[in-house]
Amino acid sequence: EAASEATALIFIRAMIAAAAADGHIDTEERNAILGGLREAGFDPEANAWLAHEMANPASVDVLAEAAETPELAAQIYTAARIAINPDTPAEKDFLAGLAGSVGLDAELVANIDAAASAAKA
């Protein structure tokens, strides 16, 4: 239970960090993050934690430290990618830095990006 909660939290932190990469979290990004919280079973009233995370997004290094397995690395990147449509250089740089820091190969990143884009279409 505690491990799955910690894993869910890192996914939410990745979503927030990706959304904040361009300097602001827009309504679409906020809705994706709140949806992620609901899916993880978190009470949407946990506003203090969420407000703190949005004001202090996790760094790529913090997210990479949590990627203890290749599977978890891919899931962290996927969570970040789902949260945003990388349409600014800052968001693209964030995702590229995250992918590199967690050790994802270019083919896997391309597959995740394609699936995320298709899911949003």
Side-chain angles (χ1 to χ4, degrees):
E1 175 83 21
S4 63
E5 185 172 309
T7 300
L9 284 175
I10 198 67
F11 296 159
I12 300 302
R13 293 184 82 196
M15 294 176 81
I16 292 168
D22 63 357
H24 71 283
I25 299 174
D26 65 31
T27 302
E28 184 179 328
E29 293 166 343
R30 180 178 283 277
N31 289 340
I33 292 163
L34 293 174
L37 279 171
R38 279 190 297 277
E39 283 181 32
F42 286 94
D43 183 350
E45 306 304 327
N47 286 333
W49 180 85
L50 186 60
H52 178 268
E53 284 298 317
M54 288 190 176
N56 304 288
S59 67
V60 166
D61 291 340
V62 167
L63 297 172
E65 281 179 29
E68 296 172 352
T69 65
E71 295 80 11
L72 192 52
Q75 291 170 334
I76 290 169
Y77 179 85
T78 301
R81 178 58 183 83
I82 287 170
I84 62 173
N85 288 318
D87 54 4
T88 68
E91 290 173 339
K92 291 174 185 171
D93 289 348
F94 174 84
L95 289 174
L98 181 59
S101 292
V102 299
L104 300 182
D105 67 52
E107 184 177 344
L108 179 56
V109 168
N111 288 338
I112 293 168
D113 289 344
S117 293
K120 291 183 178 198

